[in-house]
PDB file of all heavy atoms in Angstrom:
ATOM      1  N   ALA Q   1     116.734  87.770 117.803  1.00 98.00           N
ATOM      2  CA  ALA Q   1     116.905  87.343 116.410  1.00 98.00           C
ATOM      3  C   ALA Q   1     117.186  88.562 115.530  1.00 98.00           C
ATOM      4  O   ALA Q   1     116.590  89.626 115.702  1.00 98.00           O
ATOM      5  CB  ALA Q   1     115.644  86.628 115.928  1.00 98.00           C
ATOM      6  N   PHE Q   2     118.098  88.389 114.576  1.00 98.00           N
ATOM      7  CA  PHE Q   2     118.542  89.518 113.767  1.00 98.00           C
ATOM      8  C   PHE Q   2     117.740  89.626 112.479  1.00 98.00           C
ATOM      9  O   PHE Q   2     117.446  88.624 111.821  1.00 98.00           O
ATOM     10  CB  PHE Q   2     120.019  89.372 113.418  1.00 98.00           C
ATOM     11  CG  PHE Q   2     120.570  90.511 112.604  1.00 98.00           C
ATOM     12  CD1 PHE Q   2     120.807  91.748 113.184  1.00 98.00           C
ATOM     13  CD2 PHE Q   2     120.844  90.332 111.259  1.00 98.00           C
ATOM     14  CE1 PHE Q   2     121.318  92.795 112.433  1.00 98.00           C
ATOM     15  CE2 PHE Q   2     121.360  91.370 110.500  1.00 98.00           C
ATOM     16  CZ  PHE Q   2     121.594  92.616 111.087  1.00 98.00           C
ATOM     17  N   ALA Q   3     117.366  90.857 112.141  1.00 97.00           N
ATOM     18  CA  ALA Q   3     116.781  91.168 110.838  1.00 97.00           C
ATOM     19  C   ALA Q   3     117.541  92.350 110.274  1.00 97.00           C
ATOM     20  O   ALA Q   3     117.666  93.386 110.934  1.00 97.00           O
ATOM     21  CB  ALA Q   3     115.298  91.495 110.964  1.00 97.00           C
ATOM     22  N   ALA Q   4     118.067  92.185 109.073  1.00 96.00           N
ATOM     23  CA  ALA Q   4     118.846  93.265 108.460  1.00 96.00           C
ATOM     24  C   ALA Q   4     117.964  94.477 108.194  1.00 96.00           C
ATOM     25  O   ALA Q   4     116.730  94.378 108.146  1.00 96.00           O
ATOM     26  CB  ALA Q   4     119.467  92.771 107.149  1.00 96.00           C
ATOM     27  N   THR Q   5     118.607  95.606 108.018  1.00 95.00           N
ATOM     28  CA  THR Q   5     117.880  96.861 107.816  1.00 95.00           C
ATOM     29  C   THR Q   5     116.855  96.761 106.700  1.00 95.00           C
ATOM     30  O   THR Q   5     115.715  97.233 106.838  1.00 95.00           O
ATOM     31  CB  THR Q   5     118.876  97.994 107.493  1.00 95.00           C
ATOM     32  OG1 THR Q   5     119.798  98.131 108.575  1.00 95.00           O
ATOM     33  CG2 THR Q   5     118.149  99.314 107.276  1.00 95.00           C
ATOM     34  N   ASP Q   6     117.230  96.108 105.580  1.00 94.00           N
ATOM     35  CA  ASP Q   6     116.309  96.026 104.448  1.00 94.00           C
ATOM     36  C   ASP Q   6     115.233  94.961 104.630  1.00 94.00           C
ATOM     37  O   ASP Q   6     114.383  94.775 103.755  1.00 94.00           O
ATOM     38  CB  ASP Q   6     117.064  95.780 103.144  1.00 94.00           C
ATOM     39  CG  ASP Q   6     117.803  94.444 103.137  1.00 94.00           C
ATOM     40  OD1 ASP Q   6     117.888  93.798 104.202  1.00 94.00           O
ATOM     41  OD2 ASP Q   6     118.296  94.046 102.058  1.00 94.00           O
ATOM     42  N   LYS Q   7     115.255  94.270 105.782  1.00 95.00           N
ATOM     43  CA  LYS Q   7     114.228  93.262 106.050  1.00 95.00           C
ATOM     44  C   LYS Q   7     113.114  93.815 106.945  1.00 95.00           C
ATOM     45  O   LYS Q   7     112.256  93.072 107.396  1.00 95.00           O
ATOM     46  CB  LYS Q   7     114.856  92.016 106.686  1.00 95.00           C
ATOM     47  CG  LYS Q   7     115.804  91.280 105.738  1.00 95.00           C
ATOM     48  CD  LYS Q   7     115.103  90.882 104.451  1.00 95.00           C
ATOM     49  CE  LYS Q   7     116.002  90.086 103.509  1.00 95.00           C
ATOM     50  NZ  LYS Q   7     116.936  90.931 102.763  1.00 95.00           N
ATOM     51  N   ARG Q   8     113.169  95.109 107.209  1.00 95.00           N
ATOM     52  CA  ARG Q   8     111.991  95.755 107.810  1.00 95.00           C
ATOM     53  C   ARG Q   8     111.025  96.039 106.660  1.00 95.00           C
ATOM     54  O   ARG Q   8     111.349  96.758 105.726  1.00 95.00           O
ATOM     55  CB  ARG Q   8     112.367  97.052 108.518  1.00 95.00           C
ATOM     56  CG  ARG Q   8     111.149  97.784 109.088  1.00 95.00           C
ATOM     57  CD  ARG Q   8     111.542  99.048 109.828  1.00 95.00           C
ATOM     58  NE  ARG Q   8     110.375  99.800 110.274  1.00 95.00           N
ATOM     59  CZ  ARG Q   8     110.419 100.936 110.973  1.00 95.00           C
ATOM     60  NH1 ARG Q   8     111.599 101.459 111.305  1.00 95.00           N
ATOM     61  NH2 ARG Q   8     109.303 101.549 111.319  1.00 95.00           N
ATOM     62  N   LEU Q   9     109.850  95.450 106.731  1.00 93.00           N
ATOM     63  CA  LEU Q   9     108.904  95.514 105.629  1.00 93.00           C
ATOM     64  C   LEU Q   9     108.017  96.735 105.809  1.00 93.00           C
ATOM     65  O   LEU Q   9     107.343  96.878 106.826  1.00 93.00           O
ATOM     66  CB  LEU Q   9     108.092  94.223 105.566  1.00 93.00           C
ATOM     67  CG  LEU Q   9     108.978  92.967 105.532  1.00 93.00           C
ATOM     68  CD1 LEU Q   9     108.148  91.708 105.691  1.00 93.00           C
ATOM     69  CD2 LEU Q   9     109.789  92.918 104.245  1.00 93.00           C
ATOM     70  N   THR Q  10     108.010  97.581 104.847  1.00 78.00           N
ATOM     71  CA  THR Q  10     107.478  98.933 105.007  1.00 78.00           C
ATOM     72  C   THR Q  10     105.980  99.002 105.240  1.00 78.00           C
ATOM     73  O   THR Q  10     105.488  99.974 105.806  1.00 78.00           O
ATOM     74  CB  THR Q  10     107.811  99.772 103.762  1.00 78.00           C
ATOM     75  OG1 THR Q  10     107.240  99.143 102.606  1.00 78.00           O
ATOM     76  CG2 THR Q  10     109.322  99.877 103.582  1.00 78.00           C
ATOM     77  N   GLY Q  11     105.244  98.009 104.779  1.00 67.00           N
ATOM     78  CA  GLY Q  11     103.801  98.074 104.957  1.00 67.00           C
ATOM     79  C   GLY Q  11     103.098  98.934 103.932  1.00 67.00           C
ATOM     80  O   GLY Q  11     101.931  99.277 104.072  1.00 67.00           O
ATOM     81  N   LYS Q  12     103.805  99.317 102.873  1.00 78.00           N
ATOM     82  CA  LYS Q  12     103.178 100.078 101.799  1.00 78.00           C
ATOM     83  C   LYS Q  12     102.383  99.141 100.902  1.00 78.00           C
ATOM     84  O   LYS Q  12     102.371  97.938 101.078  1.00 78.00           O
ATOM     85  CB  LYS Q  12     104.251 100.812 100.990  1.00 78.00           C
ATOM     86  CG  LYS Q  12     105.009 101.875 101.787  1.00 78.00           C
ATOM     87  CD  LYS Q  12     106.065 102.537 100.926  1.00 78.00           C
ATOM     88  CE  LYS Q  12     106.832 103.594 101.736  1.00 78.00           C
ATOM     89  NZ  LYS Q  12     107.898 104.242 100.921  1.00 78.00           N
ATOM     90  N   GLY Q  13     101.720  99.714  99.903  1.00 88.00           N
ATOM     91  CA  GLY Q  13     100.940  98.899  98.988  1.00 88.00           C
ATOM     92  C   GLY Q  13      99.467  99.194  99.092  1.00 88.00           C
ATOM     93  O   GLY Q  13      99.032  99.996  99.918  1.00 88.00           O
ATOM     94  N   ILE Q  14      98.686  98.525  98.249  1.00 92.00           N
ATOM     95  CA  ILE Q  14      97.247  98.773  98.211  1.00 92.00           C
ATOM     96  C   ILE Q  14      96.504  97.782  99.111  1.00 92.00           C
ATOM     97  O   ILE Q  14      97.028  96.742  99.489  1.00 92.00           O
ATOM     98  CB  ILE Q  14      96.722  98.666  96.771  1.00 92.00           C
ATOM     99  CG1 ILE Q  14      96.934  97.237  96.224  1.00 92.00           C
ATOM    100  CG2 ILE Q  14      97.399  99.686  95.866  1.00 92.00           C
ATOM    101  CD1 ILE Q  14      96.289  97.002  94.873  1.00 92.00           C
ATOM    102  N   ASP Q  15      95.264  98.118  99.429  1.00 94.00           N
ATOM    103  CA  ASP Q  15      94.403  97.269 100.244  1.00 94.00           C
ATOM    104  C   ASP Q  15      93.671  96.303  99.312  1.00 94.00           C
ATOM    105  O   ASP Q  15      92.959  96.727  98.405  1.00 94.00           O
ATOM    106  CB  ASP Q  15      93.413  98.142 101.013  1.00 94.00           C
ATOM    107  CG  ASP Q  15      92.483  97.343 101.917  1.00 94.00           C
ATOM    108  OD1 ASP Q  15      92.631  96.109 101.987  1.00 94.00           O
ATOM    109  OD2 ASP Q  15      91.609  97.967 102.558  1.00 94.00           O
ATOM    110  N   ASP Q  16      93.853  94.997  99.545  1.00 95.00           N
ATOM    111  CA  ASP Q  16      93.186  94.014  98.685  1.00 95.00           C
ATOM    112  C   ASP Q  16      91.923  93.453  99.318  1.00 95.00           C
ATOM    113  O   ASP Q  16      91.335  92.494  98.812  1.00 95.00           O
ATOM    114  CB  ASP Q  16      94.145  92.880  98.307  1.00 95.00           C
ATOM    115  CG  ASP Q  16      94.542  92.021  99.500  1.00 95.00           C
ATOM    116  OD1 ASP Q  16      94.181  92.353 100.651  1.00 95.00           O
ATOM    117  OD2 ASP Q  16      95.238  91.010  99.298  1.00 95.00           O
ATOM    118  N   GLY Q  17      91.495  94.030 100.435  1.00 96.00           N
ATOM    119  CA  GLY Q  17      90.267  93.584 101.077  1.00 96.00           C
ATOM    120  C   GLY Q  17      90.384  92.288 101.857  1.00 96.00           C
ATOM    121  O   GLY Q  17      89.426  91.849 102.484  1.00 96.00           O
ATOM    122  N   GLY Q  18      91.546  91.641 101.788  1.00 97.00           N
ATOM    123  CA  GLY Q  18      91.735  90.379 102.508  1.00 97.00           C
ATOM    124  C   GLY Q  18      91.123  89.175 101.818  1.00 97.00           C
ATOM    125  O   GLY Q  18      90.858  88.154 102.459  1.00 97.00           O
ATOM    126  N   GLY Q  19      90.926  89.272 100.502  1.00 98.00           N
ATOM    127  CA  GLY Q  19      90.309  88.157  99.793  1.00 98.00           C
ATOM    128  C   GLY Q  19      91.069  86.856  99.905  1.00 98.00           C
ATOM    129  O   GLY Q  19      90.475  85.774  99.917  1.00 98.00           O
ATOM    130  N   TRP Q  20      92.395  86.946 100.000  1.00 98.00           N
ATOM    131  CA  TRP Q  20      93.224  85.738 100.091  1.00 98.00           C
ATOM    132  C   TRP Q  20      92.841  84.858 101.278  1.00 98.00           C
ATOM    133  O   TRP Q  20      93.075  83.647 101.264  1.00 98.00           O
ATOM    134  CB  TRP Q  20      94.697  86.133 100.202  1.00 98.00           C
ATOM    135  CG  TRP Q  20      95.040  86.897 101.451  1.00 98.00           C
ATOM    136  CD1 TRP Q  20      94.881  88.233 101.675  1.00 98.00           C
ATOM    137  CD2 TRP Q  20      95.592  86.356 102.652  1.00 98.00           C
ATOM    138  NE1 TRP Q  20      95.299  88.566 102.943  1.00 98.00           N
ATOM    139  CE2 TRP Q  20      95.753  87.430 103.563  1.00 98.00           C
ATOM    140  CE3 TRP Q  20      95.993  85.073 103.048  1.00 98.00           C
ATOM    141  CZ2 TRP Q  20      96.269  87.261 104.851  1.00 98.00           C
ATOM    142  CZ3 TRP Q  20      96.515  84.891 104.328  1.00 98.00           C
ATOM    143  CH2 TRP Q  20      96.644  85.982 105.214  1.00 98.00           C
ATOM    144  N   MET Q  21      92.202  85.460 102.284  1.00 98.00           N
ATOM    145  CA  MET Q  21      91.847  84.681 103.477  1.00 98.00           C
ATOM    146  C   MET Q  21      90.658  83.741 103.252  1.00 98.00           C
ATOM    147  O   MET Q  21      90.293  82.974 104.149  1.00 98.00           O
ATOM    148  CB  MET Q  21      91.579  85.620 104.645  1.00 98.00           C
ATOM    149  CG  MET Q  21      92.833  86.361 105.090  1.00 98.00           C
ATOM    150  SD  MET Q  21      92.572  87.449 106.502  1.00 98.00           S
ATOM    151  CE  MET Q  21      92.388  86.240 107.810  1.00 98.00           C
ATOM    152  N   LEU Q  22      90.090  83.760 102.058  1.00 98.00           N
ATOM    153  CA  LEU Q  22      89.053  82.774 101.755  1.00 98.00           C
ATOM    154  C   LEU Q  22      89.607  81.353 101.714  1.00 98.00           C
ATOM    155  O   LEU Q  22      88.833  80.394 101.651  1.00 98.00           O
ATOM    156  CB  LEU Q  22      88.378  83.103 100.424  1.00 98.00           C
ATOM    157  CG  LEU Q  22      87.425  84.310 100.399  1.00 98.00           C
ATOM    158  CD1 LEU Q  22      86.744  84.411  99.041  1.00 98.00           C
ATOM    159  CD2 LEU Q  22      86.375  84.234 101.506  1.00 98.00           C
ATOM    160  N   HIS Q  23      90.929  81.218 101.748  1.00 98.00           N
ATOM    161  CA  HIS Q  23      91.478  79.859 101.858  1.00 98.00           C
ATOM    162  C   HIS Q  23      91.029  79.200 103.157  1.00 98.00           C
ATOM    163  O   HIS Q  23      90.969  77.960 103.233  1.00 98.00           O
ATOM    164  CB  HIS Q  23      93.009  79.891 101.780  1.00 98.00           C
ATOM    165  CG  HIS Q  23      93.711  80.236 103.053  1.00 98.00           C
ATOM    166  ND1 HIS Q  23      94.059  79.287 103.993  1.00 98.00           N
ATOM    167  CD2 HIS Q  23      94.145  81.421 103.569  1.00 98.00           C
ATOM    168  CE1 HIS Q  23      94.677  79.862 105.011  1.00 98.00           C
ATOM    169  NE2 HIS Q  23      94.738  81.157 104.777  1.00 98.00           N
ATOM    170  N   ILE Q  24      90.712  80.008 104.168  1.00 98.00           N
ATOM    171  CA  ILE Q  24      90.296  79.454 105.465  1.00 98.00           C
ATOM    172  C   ILE Q  24      88.930  78.777 105.356  1.00 98.00           C
ATOM    173  O   ILE Q  24      88.807  77.576 105.647  1.00 98.00           O
ATOM    174  CB  ILE Q  24      90.321  80.545 106.550  1.00 98.00           C
ATOM    175  CG1 ILE Q  24      91.745  81.049 106.763  1.00 98.00           C
ATOM    176  CG2 ILE Q  24      89.735  80.019 107.860  1.00 98.00           C
ATOM    177  CD1 ILE Q  24      91.842  82.283 107.656  1.00 98.00           C
ATOM    178  N   PRO Q  25      87.876  79.485 104.942  1.00 98.00           N
ATOM    179  CA  PRO Q  25      86.601  78.771 104.803  1.00 98.00           C
ATOM    180  C   PRO Q  25      86.643  77.665 103.756  1.00 98.00           C
ATOM    181  O   PRO Q  25      85.934  76.653 103.912  1.00 98.00           O
ATOM    182  CB  PRO Q  25      85.612  79.879 104.409  1.00 98.00           C
ATOM    183  CG  PRO Q  25      86.442  81.004 103.916  1.00 98.00           C
ATOM    184  CD  PRO Q  25      87.718  80.931 104.687  1.00 98.00           C
ATOM    185  N   ALA Q  26      87.456  77.812 102.715  1.00 98.00           N
ATOM    186  CA  ALA Q  26      87.560  76.742 101.724  1.00 98.00           C
ATOM    187  C   ALA Q  26      88.014  75.442 102.372  1.00 98.00           C
ATOM    188  O   ALA Q  26      87.532  74.353 102.029  1.00 98.00           O
ATOM    189  CB  ALA Q  26      88.534  77.147 100.614  1.00 98.00           C
ATOM    190  N   CYS Q  27      88.925  75.560 103.320  1.00 98.00           N
ATOM    191  CA  CYS Q  27      89.413  74.381 104.035  1.00 98.00           C
ATOM    192  C   CYS Q  27      88.277  73.698 104.804  1.00 98.00           C
ATOM    193  O   CYS Q  27      88.098  72.482 104.718  1.00 98.00           O
ATOM    194  CB  CYS Q  27      90.544  74.798 104.983  1.00 98.00           C
ATOM    195  SG  CYS Q  27      91.126  73.471 106.056  1.00 98.00           S
ATOM    196  N   TYR Q  28      87.491  74.483 105.507  1.00 98.00           N
ATOM    197  CA  TYR Q  28      86.419  73.888 106.317  1.00 98.00           C
ATOM    198  C   TYR Q  28      85.280  73.358 105.455  1.00 98.00           C
ATOM    199  O   TYR Q  28      84.608  72.391 105.826  1.00 98.00           O
ATOM    200  CB  TYR Q  28      85.952  74.897 107.363  1.00 98.00           C
ATOM    201  CG  TYR Q  28      87.076  75.200 108.328  1.00 98.00           C
ATOM    202  CD1 TYR Q  28      87.775  76.401 108.280  1.00 98.00           C
ATOM    203  CD2 TYR Q  28      87.503  74.232 109.233  1.00 98.00           C
ATOM    204  CE1 TYR Q  28      88.856  76.646 109.120  1.00 98.00           C
ATOM    205  CE2 TYR Q  28      88.582  74.458 110.075  1.00 98.00           C
ATOM    206  CZ  TYR Q  28      89.253  75.658 110.005  1.00 98.00           C
ATOM    207  OH  TYR Q  28      90.330  75.875 110.830  1.00 98.00           O
ATOM    208  N   MET Q  29      85.085  73.960 104.288  1.00 98.00           N
ATOM    209  CA  MET Q  29      84.112  73.401 103.363  1.00 98.00           C
ATOM    210  C   MET Q  29      84.571  72.046 102.860  1.00 98.00           C
ATOM    211  O   MET Q  29      83.764  71.117 102.691  1.00 98.00           O
ATOM    212  CB  MET Q  29      83.893  74.371 102.199  1.00 98.00           C
ATOM    213  CG  MET Q  29      82.836  73.934 101.202  1.00 98.00           C
ATOM    214  SD  MET Q  29      81.258  73.445 101.945  1.00 98.00           S
ATOM    215  CE  MET Q  29      80.827  74.916 102.876  1.00 98.00           C
ATOM    216  N   GLY Q  30      85.865  71.892 102.608  1.00 98.00           N
ATOM    217  CA  GLY Q  30      86.385  70.605 102.168  1.00 98.00           C
ATOM    218  C   GLY Q  30      86.162  69.515 103.202  1.00 98.00           C
ATOM    219  O   GLY Q  30      85.808  68.371 102.868  1.00 98.00           O
ATOM    220  N   ILE Q  31      86.356  69.855 104.478  1.00 98.00           N
ATOM    221  CA  ILE Q  31      86.112  68.891 105.554  1.00 98.00           C
ATOM    222  C   ILE Q  31      84.636  68.511 105.590  1.00 98.00           C
ATOM    223  O   ILE Q  31      84.277  67.329 105.732  1.00 98.00           O
ATOM    224  CB  ILE Q  31      86.556  69.478 106.905  1.00 98.00           C
ATOM    225  CG1 ILE Q  31      88.065  69.712 106.911  1.00 98.00           C
ATOM    226  CG2 ILE Q  31      86.147  68.559 108.060  1.00 98.00           C
ATOM    227  CD1 ILE Q  31      88.554  70.510 108.115  1.00 98.00           C
TER     228      ILE Q  31
END
């Protein structure tokens, strides 16, 4: 599968601690 040169994602940026992953336990709490 082809990915253009500018579609290599650099991995730069700040560390957000992974807070966005709280969507996972939120799902199981809803169940």
Side-chain angles (χ1 to χ4, degrees):
F2 181 74
T5 301
D6 63 350
K7 294 303 183 281
R8 177 178 175 178
L9 307 171
T10 59
K12 295 179 181 179
I14 62 173
D15 181 2
D16 67 354
W20 64 278
M21 294 182 72
L22 287 185
H23 81 88
I24 296 171
C27 174
Y28 296 105
M29 183 50 56
I31 296 170

